Amino acid sequence: CYMLSMLAPERVVCGLDYDEDKISLANHCFLRKANISFLHADMVTCQMPQSDVFLFNDSLHYVCEASQKIVLEHCLENLNPGGMLIVRDGDATNDNEQRHIEETEVWSTKIIGFNKTVEELTFLTKDWMKDFANEHNLEIKIKKCDEKTSETLYILRRKR
């Protein structure tokens, strides 16, 4: 969030996280300016604000598939004309590449406890994202982020 706000000072950025400690830390950073805010909330149940962009950076896998769909649909309901949904997450299609991400998440959630979750990790697939895009009349661009993991970037916009 801080990087996005620094790259474009006119941009208004709101970060949302389930972890109250992370939100407290972010809210007290010396870099914080008027164009950035942080909210402690559950992405499944919170009311999404009207926005030009919704960005999910390695976060959707913390909720089940049904909740992932609910979250993305709530975003679509509050997406400004011309806006987009950007999702960066692992693609569970490739077991070998996905294994690295899943191992990292086990360390992060169960061993170290850096990230908090109450549900089992549920990674989406490229086909699931394509089906979601088709079901909601969205254009989708898919880009693999690196060669060693299944990290994938999905950019969704309403068809014109």
Side-chain angles (χ1 to χ4, degrees), residues 14 21 25 29 49 53 55 70 74 88 100 102 119 149:
C14 177
D21 293 335
L25 182 65
C29 181
V53 176
L55 170 64
I70 289 168
H74 284 165
R88 180 182 184 268
H100 298 293
E102 290 178 5
E119 296 185 35
T149 72

Side-chain angles (χ1 to χ4, degrees), residues 57-155:
N57 189 22
D58 292 325
S59 56
L60 276 182
H61 62 263
Y62 288 107
V63 297
C64 69
E65 183 178 323
S67 293
Q68 292 171 3
K69 186 173 183 180
I70 289 168
V71 169
L72 294 177
E73 286 173 343
H74 284 165
C75 291
L76 286 176
E77 291 168 7
N78 293 290
L79 190 63
N80 291 332
M84 63 182 140
L85 294 175
I86 302 173
V87 177
R88 180 182 184 268
D89 219 316
D91 172 12
T93 304
N94 185 319
D95 290 337
N96 191 39
E97 293 175 348
Q98 180 64 15
R99 188 182 73 238
H100 298 293
I101 293 173
E102 290 178 5
E103 289 169 356
T104 301
E105 285 297 337
V106 167
W107 274 93
S108 176
T109 58
K110 295 186 176 19
I111 298 170
I112 299 172
F114 178 73
N115 290 325
K116 297 178 181 174
T117 185
V118 294
E119 296 185 35
E120 290 299 314
L121 301 177
T122 306
F123 289 91
L124 45 81
T125 66
K126 194 180 315 176
D127 288 338
W128 188 92
M129 286 298 287
K130 287 178 182 177
D131 290 345
F132 179 87
N134 287 333
E135 180 182 336
H136 294 86
N137 198 33
L138 303 169
E139 296 174 356
I140 185 169
K141 291 183 182 176
I142 301 172
K143 182 174 179 4
K144 193 153 171 16
C145 295
D146 64 63
E147 296 299 317
K148 295 181 181 177
T149 72
S150 68
E151 286 291 351
T152 304
L153 186 66
Y154 306 93
I155 302 171

Side-chain angles (χ1 to χ4, degrees), residues 1-7 11 13-16 26 35-38 55:
C1 292
Y2 278 106
M3 181 193 71
L4 290 171
S5 70
M6 286 187 279
L7 289 173
R11 184 181 289 150
V13 178
C14 177
L16 180 135
N35 68 329
I36 189 168
S37 62
F38 297 94
L55 170 64

